[in-house]
Amino acid sequence: MQSHDEFFFDPDDDEDELEEEFFSACITQDSMVAPSDGFFCRMAERLPFLNNVMQILHIRAGDEESLQRARKRNPFRASGRLARGAEHVPFLNNVMQGLHRVTGKSEELRRARRKNPLGANGYVTKLGEHIPGLADTICCIHKFRGLDAEAERARAFSLHRMVGRQGAITHLAQLLPGTNLIAAL
């Protein structure tokens, strides 16, 4: 029997009539029609909802080795493809962190925090650091949290540096006709 710590979706919770029809078609007299190590069985173990069906079939057939293989390949597990993919989506990452925290998966929680797109080293944060006014705000947030290296990275695109005497926007203004007089003031 599987525990709730291993999966976010428990296939034993909702066995409806459709699953029962599928089981009765696949299992005849306590033996499966298709071998549990066959090509189609292994392919079904890699697909999201079919993996849970295959786990139930392996449990009913009493095949512990195939059951463990299916559990390891389950895309809904804490280290599965879908969970790892969800950790790259901005607000979905926070949901995944909460699920990892509730289930006690500390390694997966650390991985989700490290990949958080809104975190100190996330891709959304780094994108915001390239926008002059927003970079100043992000720099202040990094300083408040005590992240000096990240604050320095954000400071490189601050409004003061861009518009200052040697700033990129100032140099651009000097290249345009007529605006070099404004920049000289």
Side-chain angles (χ1 to χ4, degrees):
M1 195 55 95
Q2 68 188 27
S3 67
H4 289 287
D5 293 339
E6 291 182 18
F7 307 100
F8 295 128
F9 175 76
D10 189 5
D12 290 335
D13 282 347
D14 298 322
E15 290 188 13
D16 56 3
E17 296 172 7
L18 182 62
E19 287 180 354
E20 290 299 324
E21 291 175 11
F22 181 75
F23 295 143
S24 63
C26 290
I27 299 176
T28 54
Q29 298 175 357
D30 299 331
S31 65
M32 288 183 29
V33 173
S36 61
D37 287 335
F39 175 75
F40 292 110
C41 179
R42 289 181 184 266
M43 287 298 109
E45 289 172 358
R46 294 179 184 271
L47 299 173
F49 293 102
L50 286 178
N51 179 284
N52 296 313
V53 173
M54 292 308 296
Q55 286 184 37
I56 294 170
L57 289 174
H58 293 319
I59 289 170
R60 291 191 176 183
D63 190 357
E64 189 65 31
E65 181 182 336
S66 297
L67 177 62
Q68 292 304 322
R69 182 186 66 230
R71 284 182 177 170
K72 190 185 291 186
R73 289 183 179 165
N74 189 357
F76 286 124
R77 73 181 195 281
S79 295
R81 291 183 307 262
L82 294 177
R84 288 189 316 238
E87 291 169 0
H88 291 282
V89 179
F91 295 105
L92 200 52
N93 179 284
N94 298 336
V95 172
M96 295 306 297
Q97 285 184 33
L99 286 172
H100 294 320
R101 190 178 300 114
V102 167
T103 57
K105 304 283 186 181
S106 60
E107 183 179 328
E108 286 81 1
L109 177 61
R110 272 184 262 132
R111 182 189 66 223
R113 284 184 178 166
R114 188 176 62 246
K115 292 181 179 180
N116 189 359
L118 298 174
N121 291 313
Y123 64 87
V124 174
T125 304
K126 288 181 181 180
L127 177 72
E129 289 172 356
H130 286 78
I131 301 170
L134 188 57
D136 295 323
T137 306
I138 294 173
C139 180
C140 291
I141 292 170
H142 287 323
K143 280 184 184 177
F144 179 73
R145 292 184 177 169
L147 304 170
D148 296 330
E150 288 81 359
E152 186 62 34
R153 183 183 67 214
R155 196 175 302 124
F157 295 101
S158 69
L159 193 59
H160 182 267
R161 284 196 178 176
M162 293 291 173
V163 182
R165 207 177 236 319
Q166 298 296 321
I169 296 175
T170 306
H171 286 296
L172 179 66
Q174 289 173 352
L175 292 174
L176 298 174
T179 58
N180 60 351
L181 298 174
I182 296 171
L185 298 175

